[in-house]
Amino acid sequence: MMKSFYSILIFMVLLTACGGGKKEQASSGKATPKSQNTAAEKENNEWKEISASVAKIESYDGTRILEGGQGFFVGKNLLATKYSLVNQATNVQVKPLNEDKIYIADKFVAFDRINDLIILQVDSINRTPIKLVEGKVPNSAKTMLISSQPTETLQLLTGKVLNLTTVQGLKLYRITNRIRPSQFGAPVFVSNKKSIGIAYSGTVMYEPQSFTIPSMYLAEMLRHKKENPEKLESLKSTNAKVSAENAKIKGVVLETDAGNITIKLFNETPEYRDNFIRLAKEHYFDSLLIHRVIADFGIQSGAADTRYANPGDNVGWKGPGYTIPAHFVPGLYHKRGMIGSPRKPDTKNSRRRSDGSQFYIVTGRRYFDNELDDMEEQNNYTFSAAQRQAYKTVGGAPHLDGSYTVFGQVISGMDVVDRIVKVETDKNWRPVKDIRIKRVRILK
């Protein structure tokens, strides 16, 4: 019986060696046609080529690591990613998905603070740029992210576009892909292998959601990129040389839908002056709404969530991502025509730090002595004789003195401000008919 068992075993081995297994597979009808294998391999190879233009990034302040995420090449040596991942960095380590070599980026050619985008220049590299979708993508379009885990067969993480919507004042695609923090900055693709933008996620109305910052903004940045790249560290602060040049600036013109308003920025509050000029040079204020108009007080603008705001949206809650320390200067107070910086209330902001970009222009009203006496008692603040005289004659907003920073003054165009302050508003003091700052022009 044992001899018979070994004879059967040898026969099975010989049958396998002679290709019996292949014959059985062919007869089963389950073999994949060669043409299908070739198509799948071609598709996989195409995505592998694209993955060479996607990179992991880590940002550093000197040698201290800050943030990690991804980016992708939109030019041969130009890498797009989220601005907030690198805006405090002096250098960024860039590691393409298809290799272990690390490249260094310490310069940028364009950035958009409101849309949270930046384009870095990466030295010593040459990659095929990923193509961008510049138009609108239809709802339900299939979306894909390339997995950062290297495998023989490239893994694509799929989802779909839900809609193009406005979230906290920003135009974004909502997508069904689950985006992890390590994927922030990754390109989101559609079926034609073009990118519709940059991936990230956030919590909206207590619900985690995934988004894509549309690639149309990247395309616009590429069209207006700097010819001479700037150092990343220049995003962190204004140096002494630039600050000295800012002190010589004669004024700043706010070109609005209602007319021009020319303002002077006070050298007594240099951090506010330099911040306003830096944002103006970035075109940060361009297309922002004058979103708050209050009779007997004034007008307010500079909120990042107003650029793409729809009619009826409750806006005015988003700044540039930072605040500025309070700076109260004797002699600078809220008389008519003064410019100040709004902030969160004392209960949430004990140090009275100002919003990084919003500002108001005071129209105010005239006050009587007894009203000013009551304010002194309520606010534990004493008005000078000059303040009292100003508030009784030209008017202003005395209740803000000693609590809100004044950093500028209107020198021309108060008639425009007066027209704006009389427009019809909704219950949130937003003008019913939009009034925008078209651009901000610096007078040197």
Side-chain angles (χ1 to χ4, degrees), residues 177-195:
N177 305 72
R178 184 183 177 188
I179 308 299
R180 303 176 185 276
S182 61
Q183 296 170 307
F184 285 11
V188 178
F189 295 94
V190 284
S191 56
N192 60 2
K193 299 183 177 66
K194 289 185 178 181
S195 173

Side-chain angles (χ1 to χ4, degrees), residues 262-281:
T262 304
I263 66 176
K264 175 184 177 182
L265 301 170
F266 295 138
N267 291 332
E268 291 87 342
T269 50
E271 61 274 62
Y272 285 77
R273 175 201 65 207
D274 294 345
N275 178 68
F276 196 97
I277 292 171
R278 181 172 68 246
L279 294 178
K281 289 180 177 178

Side-chain angles (χ1 to χ4, degrees), residues 30-308:
K30 295 181 180 180
T32 302
K34 186 176 181 180
S35 60
Q36 290 185 22
N37 280 334
T38 302
E41 289 172 2
K42 181 181 178 183
E43 182 81 1
N44 187 57
N45 289 336
E46 287 176 353
W47 280 110
K48 278 190 174 181
E49 289 177 10
I50 292 173
S51 73
S53 297
V54 182
K56 294 181 180 180
I57 65 167
E58 287 183 340
S59 63
Y60 287 80
D61 182 8
T63 58
R64 180 171 64 93
I65 189 168
L66 300 175
E67 300 280 355
Q70 293 187 37
F72 62 99
F73 285 88
V74 291
K76 291 182 178 180
N77 66 339
L78 301 179
L79 184 97
T81 188
K82 280 173 64 68
Y83 171 81
S84 55
L85 293 178
V86 305
N87 67 321
Q88 296 299 311
T90 58
N91 66 93
V92 178
Q93 292 190 0
V94 178
K95 180 181 174 295
L97 296 187
N98 71 329
E99 63 175 304
D100 291 329
K101 183 176 179 180
I102 292 175
Y103 300 85
I104 300 297
D106 61 0
K107 295 182 285 293
F108 66 91
V109 296
F111 73 97
D112 181 342
R113 194 188 298 270
I114 289 180
N115 286 306
D116 199 18
L117 297 170
I118 191 167
I119 300 176
L120 304 173
Q121 179 170 302
V122 187
D123 293 332
S124 305
I125 197 169
N126 188 331
R127 294 294 156 116
T128 302
I130 287 176
K131 295 179 180 179
L132 303 175
V133 175
E134 296 193 36
K136 183 181 176 182
V137 177
N139 295 349
S140 298
K142 183 179 179 181
T143 55
M144 291 160 280
L145 281 88
I146 296 174
S147 172
S148 59
Q149 302 301 320
T151 57
E152 184 64 29
T153 300
L154 203 67
Q155 184 181 5
L156 297 176
L157 311 174
T158 61
K160 68 178 181 179
V161 172
L162 293 174
N163 56 11
L164 179 64
T165 186
T166 303
V167 180
Q168 297 177 342
L170 300 179
K171 288 286 187 184
L172 302 168
Y173 289 113
R174 282 198 310 133
I175 60 176
T176 61
N177 305 72
R178 184 183 177 188
I179 308 299
R180 303 176 185 276
S182 61
Q183 296 170 307
F184 285 11
V188 178
F189 295 94
V190 284
S191 56
N192 60 2
K193 299 183 177 66
K194 289 185 178 181
S195 173
I196 64 168
I198 283 181
Y200 82 105
S201 62
T203 301
V204 179
M205 299 298 290
Y206 308 104
E207 179 185 354
Q209 297 185 24
S210 295
F211 302 102
T212 304
I213 306 170
S215 54
M216 65 184 82
Y217 304 130
L218 285 173
E220 184 68 14
M221 290 165 67
L222 284 170
R223 284 191 286 269
H224 297 94
K225 68 181 184 296
K226 298 176 184 293
E227 293 300 324
N228 298 312
E230 292 187 30
K231 287 285 190 180
L232 260 179
E233 58 190 316
S234 68
L235 296 173
K236 297 175 63 177
S237 61
T238 302
N239 59 41
K241 180 180 178 181
V242 172
S243 187
E245 292 173 353
N246 289 343
K248 301 174 184 177
I249 287 175
K250 296 178 180 179
V252 178
V253 181
L254 312 180
E255 297 183 2
T256 80
D257 291 332
N260 291 354
I261 304 166
T262 304
I263 66 176
K264 175 184 177 182
L265 301 170
F266 295 138
N267 291 332
E268 291 87 342
T269 50
E271 61 274 62
Y272 285 77
R273 175 201 65 207
D274 294 345
N275 178 68
F276 196 97
I277 292 171
R278 181 172 68 246
L279 294 178
K281 289 180 177 178
E282 293 176 10
H283 303 283
Y284 180 94
F285 297 114
D286 295 3
S287 296
L288 297 188
L289 288 175
I290 294 175
H291 66 275
R292 190 162 291 139
V293 170
I294 303 176
D296 296 333
F297 168 67
I299 66 174
Q300 188 169 322
S301 186
D305 56 0
T306 66
R307 179 174 288 173
Y308 311 106

Side-chain angles (χ1 to χ4, degrees), residues 382-426:
T382 302
F383 296 115
S384 68
Q387 283 172 278
R388 280 183 171 268
Q389 181 64 17
Y391 290 134
K392 289 190 295 182
T393 54
V394 300
H399 58 287
L400 300 181
D401 287 349
S403 298
Y404 289 77
T405 298
V406 172
F407 67 92
Q409 183 177 17
V410 175
I411 56 177
S412 175
M414 270 307 288
D415 58 323
V416 177
V417 180
D418 289 336
R419 285 200 300 271
I420 296 172
V421 86
K422 294 175 183 177
V423 302
E424 181 184 359
T425 62
D426 63 18

